[in-house]
Amino acid sequence: MQQHPDFAFELERLTYTKHYMQQLLEESQRDVKSSQDEIRKSMADLEYLDSSLSYINILTNARFFEMARTQKEGLEAIQLKPYFARIHFRKEDEPDELLYIGKTSLFHRETQEPIIVDWRSPVANVYYDGRLGDLTYQVRDEEFEGHLYSKRQYRIEEGELLAIRDIDLTTNDELLQEALAGKADTRLTEIVSTIQAEQNAIIRANLKQPIIVQGAAGSGKTTIALHRISYFLYTMGEHFPSEKLMILAPSKLFMDYIGDVLPELGVGRICQTTYTEYVLNATGLKLKLTDSDAKLEQLTATEKLDSEALFVTRVKGTLTYREMMQRYVHKLEQEMAEQFEDVYIEKYRIIKASRLKKLFLKEFAYMPVEKRLERIKIILQSDVNRKRKQLLAMLSTKYEDALDRALYGIRDDARRKARLTLILDERDERLPAIEKEGKKTATVYMRRFKKFNIKKLYREWLTDEQLQANLAANWSDKERTTFFTAHQKERWELEDLAALYYLHAKLKGVADAWKMRVVFIDEVQDYSEFQLAALQDGLETDMFTMVGDLAQGIHSYRALTSWDPVKTLFPRATYTTLQKSYRTTIEIMNLANQVLEQMDENLPLVEPVVRHGREPEFYDMPTFEGDKIAQLYREIIGRGHRSVALICKTRTEAENIHMRLLKFDLPVQLIGNQSDLSGESLLIVPSHLAKGLEFDAVLVVAFDEPFRDHPIDRKLLYVAMTRPMHELHMVGVLGNHIISRRNQDA
């Protein structure tokens, strides 16, 4: 390949950048050590000096230490790849600039000239979106004009400049092609250098509005969500600390998969969890949930789905079920409101019940029930204290007047003395008693209101026929019987979490530690309407970024089958579709599109980027032949691929194949929800866990558990077929493969 004419210039620029970074790194290391030494010295001084000065020194140096350490870690993270692109750009009425774009900013200390520009900065958006020539760009909602002369991409590895390419919208983006031709285990962390215009638009879309993304398999939904988090913190981090951002991942396996990406993007302490873990943490409930995957496997093993059996599962995810929970909360509110009575100290009424009831039902109606009671107790204490003092002052005056009348109005000494003694005794007994009673009036009064036991309340709803008849009046007798019968034995399912979280939010309130302000949800198609609505209710925000693919909605029996309900729940949301796949080759996607065509959702076909590869291969094996599978794996590895997955329909078949392959001297790893992915083994993955993951090559294997011509099975097969970047192999009883039959018919 011919060397770029500016190679020497760019090599010198990279050398300068690395040298300057090294200087800063050495300074940061010295600053870290110096701050540590000063902290140690101040800690020692605490033992024998006036401690205030030492405490100030410790706090000051701790701040310096944190700043130095942060700079040191930031420089170390980009040292071997400082930047990936450059724009030759002129802002309006300013001189030309060569701006080098990387994962973080770096400015010259003396001149404040940018050495590296952060990819999230407004001017860097020109690289992702800008056509060559005159253009406009936005900074904090203000529009600026400029001229883009050129865009340039770099391939830098281990600090070495390997290649330079000048690009515009008419040239083939070779860097993207190279990234797609690379390995699955490195591509996720390098996506920032190959973000495409339609992806960039979503990443930088209005951060104060919710967004829904229907993205085809391989369209970059996950990386868009991760980069949007990074962009959000860069742009709005002053107002939204990272601890108040949450990404809900489909599984712990998936969290491990993306684990290296967020730190690479400069995202630190964001809450990364699953929906189940979040709900259990936020509510503090100790529940042993049934295995939701077992239900999926049961459904995929059944020739015909039992609508009665699925009624309970489906109904718990509906907004109708939320309405029932709303009626339940209202019922509990009314029962609690009836407990309010007039508040007395001795015989004197301090506050009317009607005022307290108005506070509870109207003025504080926006708050969770227990929070209302806490506020009412504070008001009650304040009123009681104030009126107790007024009462004591009034009674003291009354007794003083009575004493004066007795002292000056009764002439008989014996009678006067007896009267004075009586008044004094009554005063000295009554006033302290009122003082004592008044101090505990609010506490004693509020004891009538018991704390809610959410688990017990929800269990009561599940098992009380009369309660169900009152709150679910629209159910038919058959539906009510089905629901009631299903809950005679206590068992907790994933579908119950939305109702439990909703009740907790409305009755107790979500604790500040779990009151997230911004939420990012991956694989949102696997959420029900009630799950999303409950999160929205509990967090009291609609700032959600939701990405998913209905074609991969393998839990459609309990989750979304359309985006319309989500648009209704989030009326401010923008809705975007991504139909281009950057993962698979044209040959693989053409085959997967055959499955997509058979789905009920009537989704448009996926458009693969122009990248060709091996044709998908079919291996007809009437029975399991471990030696042939082992040989196929070795051939794939021999072609330079690192991450290879064998995907089965069910967990049961994955376990069986794993056991069989252990006999063939093959490095195999069975993947479960909690597994860490190993790049050194053939990964055996049940199809439902493969969602969101990608591999260099995939073997879709079916022996005992074929992919049937059924809505859920079609989606499971589609998920499996869209995981590989380079090679797809269909192995097993081919007559049982949906795609094989269609392929053979064609």
Side-chain angles (χ1 to χ4, degrees):
M1 180 178 175
Q2 188 175 358
Q3 195 176 73
H4 193 282
D6 288 346
F7 193 88
F9 169 81
E10 293 293 2
L11 187 59
E12 185 178 341
R13 179 58 166 71
L14 178 60
T15 303
Y16 160 75
T17 303
K18 286 162 55 183
H19 178 69
Y20 191 76
M21 288 171 63
Q22 186 60 37
Q23 280 185 306
L24 291 181
L25 198 54
E26 289 170 4
E27 284 181 30
S28 297
Q29 287 169 335
R30 285 197 295 271
D31 290 343
V32 167
K33 188 177 186 307
S34 174
S35 298
Q36 284 177 319
D37 291 342
E38 287 296 324
I39 290 170
R40 289 194 195 97
K41 184 176 182 298
S42 299
M43 291 290 286
D45 289 345
L46 282 176
E47 296 175 10
Y48 58 87
L49 293 179
D50 176 19
S51 61
S52 59
L53 185 59
S54 295
Y55 273 127
I56 291 169
N57 286 337
I58 290 169
L59 292 172
T60 303
N61 282 291
R63 282 195 290 271
F64 281 136
F65 171 76
E66 188 59 33
M67 288 166 60
R69 192 185 66 162
T70 301
Q71 183 181 36
K72 176 176 172 289
E73 290 174 353
L75 289 168
E76 286 173 340
I78 64 168
Q79 195 174 17
L80 297 179
K81 194 168 189 176
Y83 47 82
F84 54 82
R86 188 199 83 177
I87 55 173
H88 180 189
F89 184 64
R90 176 175 53 78
K91 299 176 186 175
E92 187 179 19
D93 300 326
E94 292 187 22
D96 292 7
E97 290 183 287
L98 297 179
L99 299 176
Y100 289 78
I101 301 169
K103 291 183 180 178
T104 189
S105 294
L106 180 65
F107 294 89
H108 195 284
R109 280 188 174 178
E110 281 74 36
T111 65
Q112 287 303 301
E113 290 294 315
I115 297 172
I116 305 172
V117 174
D118 195 299
W119 70 272
R120 298 166 290 187
S121 66
V123 73
N125 193 35
V126 170
Y127 166 72
Y128 293 110
D129 270 1
R131 293 176 178 269
L132 301 186
D134 293 335
L135 49 75
T136 59
Y137 64 101
Q138 286 192 326
V139 181
R140 295 186 181 89
D141 299 326
E142 192 175 348
E143 199 164 86
F144 292 86
E145 293 184 351
H147 186 89
L148 181 60
Y149 294 98
S150 67
K151 295 199 288 186
R152 180 170 287 180
Q153 294 175 337
Y154 304 97
R155 186 176 159 211
I156 300 171
E157 291 181 14
E158 299 298 318
E160 297 297 320
L161 180 62
L162 302 181
I164 304 170
R165 296 184 186 86
D166 293 310
I167 61 166
D168 60 33
L169 292 182
T170 61
T171 58
N172 184 31
D173 189 341
E174 295 178 29
L175 190 65
L176 173 63
Q177 291 290 333
E178 275 194 12
L180 297 179
K183 304 304 173 193
D185 51 1
T186 60
R187 196 168 76 90
L188 200 58
T189 58
E190 294 305 320
I191 194 73
V192 67
S193 62
T194 57
I195 292 170
Q196 300 301 291
E198 70 272 20
Q199 297 171 327
N200 183 58
I202 297 170
I203 291 168
R204 296 175 190 258
N206 191 330
L207 295 172
K208 296 177 182 177
Q209 280 185 255
I211 187 168
I212 307 163
V213 180
Q214 158 60 43
S219 60
K221 297 183 297 298
T222 299
T223 49
I224 286 169
L226 298 178
H227 285 74
R228 187 165 165 82
I229 294 169
S230 178
Y231 180 65
F232 188 98
L233 287 173
Y234 177 87
T235 309
M236 301 182 69
E238 291 179 31
H239 311 291
F240 294 87
S242 59
E243 302 86 47
K244 290 299 176 185
L245 272 65
M246 174 170 70
I247 181 166
L248 291 176
S251 66
K252 287 186 177 180
L253 171 66
F254 188 79
M255 284 161 57
D256 173 65
Y257 180 65
I258 66 170
D260 294 334
V261 183
L262 289 174
E264 286 252 350
L265 295 174
V267 176
R269 298 181 299 275
I270 183 174
C271 177
Q272 302 175 55
T273 186
T274 63
Y275 173 80
T276 298
E277 273 194 348
Y278 170 72
V279 170
L280 294 180
N281 283 323
T283 60
L285 291 169
K286 306 295 182 188
L287 300 174
K288 186 175 181 181
L289 298 178
T290 59
D291 185 354
S292 61
D293 293 335
K295 184 177 291 187
L296 174 64
E297 293 209 1
Q298 183 182 354
L299 291 173
T300 60
T302 307
E303 284 302 320
K304 186 178 180 182
L305 296 184
D306 184 347
S307 58
E308 264 190 57
L310 286 179
F311 167 72
V312 175
T313 296
R314 284 200 185 105
V315 78
K316 287 181 180 178
T318 63
L319 295 185
T320 302
Y321 199 64
R322 180 176 70 161
E323 290 168 10
M324 295 172 194
M325 294 301 105
Q326 286 173 331
R327 289 195 282 271
Y328 195 12
V329 169
H330 180 71
K331 174 180 178 294
L332 294 168
E333 278 179 334
Q334 295 301 318
E335 290 172 355
M336 189 165 276
E338 293 305 313
Q339 296 180 58
F340 284 103
E341 298 174 351
D342 293 346
V343 182
Y344 288 89
I345 295 179
E346 203 191 51
K347 61 183 179 180
Y348 297 95
R349 185 168 65 188
I350 304 299
I351 302 177
K352 288 184 178 181
S354 58
R355 185 193 168 207
L356 294 175
K357 193 179 288 190
K358 183 181 178 184
L359 287 171
F360 180 75
L361 291 176
K362 292 185 178 178
E363 293 185 28
F364 296 153
Y366 65 93
M367 301 171 69
V369 172
E370 288 188 4
K371 300 294 182 187
R372 295 182 221 174
L373 295 175
E374 290 173 12
R375 183 70 64 86
I376 287 171
K377 183 178 181 180
I378 292 170
I379 291 172
L380 189 55
Q381 284 174 328
S382 176
D383 276 20
V384 166
N385 286 338
R386 179 169 51 83
K387 292 186 178 180
R388 184 189 78 232
K389 290 173 184 175
Q390 292 174 353
L391 177 59
L392 288 171
M394 182 267 289
L395 289 174
S396 293
T397 301
K398 181 180 175 183
Y399 281 117
E400 289 299 324
D401 292 344
L403 287 169
D404 284 345
R405 286 195 300 272
L407 188 62
Y408 300 110
I410 300 175
R411 294 179 180 178
D412 182 82
D413 288 345
R415 285 182 59 230
R416 183 171 63 246
K417 184 178 179 181
R419 180 63 178 161
L420 288 171
T421 301
L422 183 67
I423 293 170
L424 287 169
D425 286 348
E426 182 181 320
R427 183 196 67 180
D428 292 346
E429 181 180 348
R430 189 179 181 195
L431 294 189
I434 288 173
E435 176 81 22
K436 184 178 179 182
E437 181 186 350
K439 285 182 178 178
K440 60 183 182 180
T441 295
T443 301
V444 171
Y445 182 86
M446 296 302 293
R447 281 178 188 159
R448 69 189 66 199
F449 303 108
K450 305 302 179 187
K451 296 277 188 183
F452 291 110
N453 183 321
I454 301 299
K455 184 176 174 181
K456 185 177 178 182
L457 279 173
Y458 186 62
R459 184 73 190 141
E460 184 179 333
W461 148 255
L462 295 175
T463 56
D464 188 325
E465 283 186 290
Q466 188 55 52
L467 188 59
Q468 290 168 16
N470 294 338
L471 302 183
N474 292 334
W475 278 353
S476 66
D477 290 340
K478 182 180 180 183
E479 287 171 335
R480 195 172 292 116
T481 301
T482 299
F483 189 85
F484 178 75
T485 304
H487 297 105
Q488 292 312 291
K489 184 178 178 181
E490 182 172 332
R491 58 202 298 268
W492 300 97
E493 298 186 306
L494 171 69
E495 293 83 3
D496 292 311
L497 293 181
L500 288 164
Y501 179 78
Y502 179 85
L503 290 174
H504 182 90
K506 294 297 181 183
L507 298 175
K508 290 181 168 292
V510 178
D512 285 344
W514 299 103
K515 198 72 174 273
M516 302 302 165
R517 296 172 64 188
V518 187
V519 183
F520 299 82
I521 303 180
D522 201 355
E523 305 290 354
V524 72
Q525 78 280 350
D526 289 336
Y527 285 65
S528 69
E529 296 171 38
F530 190 13
Q531 283 178 314
L532 294 174
L535 284 172
Q536 193 180 33
D537 289 335
L539 297 175
E540 299 177 288
T541 180
D542 71 345
M543 289 180 67
F544 283 48
T545 291
M546 297 164 280
V547 301
D549 180 13
L550 292 177
Q552 298 180 65
I554 60 176
H555 298 287
S556 55
Y557 57 92
R558 60 166 168 79
L560 298 172
T561 55
S562 163
W563 295 120
D564 291 339
V566 189
K567 293 176 188 176
T568 303
L569 273 174
F570 296 86
R572 296 196 315 121
T574 57
Y575 174 75
T576 307
T577 61
L578 293 171
Q579 285 310 119
K580 189 175 287 185
S581 172
Y582 296 96
R583 178 186 297 139
T584 59
T585 60
I586 289 175
E587 289 75 13
I588 293 173
M589 203 65 242
N590 285 345
L591 196 63
N593 270 335
Q594 292 183 28
V595 179
L596 188 59
E597 282 182 301
Q598 301 175 61
M599 293 191 189
D600 300 334
E601 284 75 11
N602 194 28
L603 294 166
L605 298 182
V606 181
E607 305 165 19
V609 294
V610 182
R611 182 170 68 90
H612 287 281
R614 294 171 69 95
E615 288 285 348
E617 297 182 23
F618 293 81
Y619 303 82
D620 196 356
M621 284 188 198
T623 58
F624 176 83
E625 298 180 51
D627 54 343
K628 289 186 179 179
I629 291 176
Q631 178 61 30
L632 176 57
Y633 171 71
R634 293 187 184 104
E635 288 172 3
I636 292 169
I637 294 296
R639 287 191 285 272
H641 298 307
R642 290 202 291 261
S643 63
V644 184
L646 186 154
I647 302 179
C648 310
K649 187 174 95 168
T650 68
R651 180 170 47 192
T652 302
E653 179 143 41
E655 289 168 352
N656 289 339
I657 288 178
H658 175 251
M659 290 298 295
R660 291 175 179 179
L661 285 177
L662 286 174
K663 303 172 185 175
F664 289 89
D665 190 28
L666 207 60
V668 291
Q669 180 189 0
L670 179 64
I671 299 300
N673 270 310
Q674 314 294 326
S675 303
D676 292 328
L677 293 173
S678 166
E680 306 301 320
S681 305
L682 172 60
L683 304 175
I684 316 295
V685 190
S687 55
H688 68 275
L689 286 181
K691 245 179 336 103
L693 307 181
E694 63 180 28
F695 308 95
D696 292 337
V698 165
L699 288 70
V700 179
V701 175
F703 292 104
D704 302 326
E705 302 279 355
F707 290 92
R708 300 165 300 137
D709 197 4
H710 180 278
I712 294 178
D713 283 34
R714 285 195 285 269
K715 289 178 178 177
L716 289 170
L717 179 59
Y718 178 74
V719 166
M721 292 176 66
T722 53
R723 297 310 97 199
M725 290 179 64
H726 306 295
E727 295 188 24
L728 174 63
H729 303 269
M730 312 290 284
V731 182
V733 185
L734 291 190
N736 287 339
H737 267 308
I738 307 164
I739 193 67
S740 303
R741 290 202 301 274
R742 285 183 63 87
N743 198 55
Q744 289 163 358
D745 292 344

